[in-house]
Amino acid sequence: MENFSLVLSGGGALGIAHLGVIKDLEDNGFKPNELIGTSMGGIICACLSIGMNEKEIYLKIKEFSNIFNWIKFSFKGNSIINNSKIDNLLSSIFLDRKMKDTIIPLKLIATNLQSGDKKVFSSKDDVYIKDALLCTMAIPGIFDEHIVNNQTYVDGFLCENLPISESIYPNILAVDVLGKNSFENTIPNNFFKTSNVLDMFEKSIRLMIYNQSKTHIEYSNKNIILLEPNTKLFKTYQFHKHKDIRSLGFELLENN
């Protein structure tokens, strides 16, 4: 495979499927020349960028399977979860590394909450990797918004969940865990109405993100290999199912 960018989408726990693809890349001796990610995809890209392999990243992901390792409920502000535990976890991985201190060039996507504009954190920004990650993963209302250089940022999925437009290379390997295989073709039909409402809401979000990414792909002039793991049976918060979700990414590369 010639010089290429690896682009990983956001998707919460569904993003663990990225690891299956990365394992296949390692087994076949393929190494990306650029890493671009949003939210969970951004976290995995950041780990790769400092030289971690798939096995090492997976061990860190397992820590997320115990939500008490990273969740601290907030009783004030605009979010359910206080970011202090997540901050500590990211600090333990990335230490004082900045966006310019990576082995492989890294780009992380966030959304400026004040202007609505997309923000691409890269080596041009004098920003700690940890801070850029706290921006790209800040789902509004769930995680604290994060302030960098007096600007307030939230999750990049609001502008580009599959950030193929930021690739500097003509060849892209893109993994979209919220693609066409992330939602059922049926309407939720649970016994309890509450379950139906929650399922309808999550499906709507997945459809919105899918159509956003589909539009970006249609208007791109890059050579894109698109991998879409079959994530429809899993929820974005099911980190405890990491083993099953990781397996969704295996052999997708060989089939393309």
Side-chain angles (χ1 to χ4, degrees), residues 87-102:
D87 190 318
N88 290 336
L89 182 58
L90 294 176
S91 294
S92 71
I93 298 172
F94 299 100
L95 305 176
D96 59 352
R97 290 186 181 91
K98 293 189 174 182
M99 293 294 294
K100 62 183 179 181
D101 301 324
T102 60

Side-chain angles (χ1 to χ4, degrees), residues 5 7 34 36 107 163-172 222:
S5 297
V7 178
E34 180 182 46
I36 312 171
K107 294 175 182 174
I164 57 171
S165 68
E166 299 305 326
S167 172
I168 64 171
Y169 294 99
N171 300 308
I172 299 173
K222 302 292 179 70

Side-chain angles (χ1 to χ4, degrees), residues 201-218:
F201 179 74
E202 177 152 357
K203 180 173 183 178
S204 297
I205 295 296
R206 294 191 188 197
L207 285 171
M208 178 187 70
I209 293 174
Y210 162 68
N211 280 295
Q212 174 206 85
S213 299
K214 183 179 177 183
T215 299
H216 283 295
I217 292 169
E218 288 175 350

Side-chain angles (χ1 to χ4, degrees), residues 67-154:
I67 63 172
F68 296 106
N69 286 339
W70 56 277
I71 283 187
K72 179 180 179 181
F73 291 105
S74 175
F75 297 99
K76 61 180 181 179
N78 303 318
S79 66
I80 297 172
I81 297 171
N82 178 288
N83 284 357
S84 59
K85 283 190 175 182
I86 300 172
D87 190 318
N88 290 336
L89 182 58
L90 294 176
S91 294
S92 71
I93 298 172
F94 299 100
L95 305 176
D96 59 352
R97 290 186 181 91
K98 293 189 174 182
M99 293 294 294
K100 62 183 179 181
D101 301 324
T102 60
I103 298 171
I104 303 173
L106 172 67
K107 294 175 182 174
L108 300 172
I109 312 303
T111 305
N112 188 307
L113 187 59
Q114 293 151 300
S115 67
D117 294 332
K118 177 172 69 174
K119 170 63 181 176
V120 182
F121 288 102
S122 69
S123 59
K124 298 177 182 178
D125 296 285
D126 187 28
V127 171
Y128 291 107
I129 295 175
K130 175 203 72 172
D131 286 316
L133 288 174
L134 287 171
C135 293
T136 190
M137 61 169 284
I139 302 172
I142 304 297
F143 298 105
D144 287 334
E145 60 273 17
H146 197 64
I147 299 175
V148 173
N149 296 330
N150 296 317
Q151 295 295 310
T152 304
Y153 296 101
V154 292

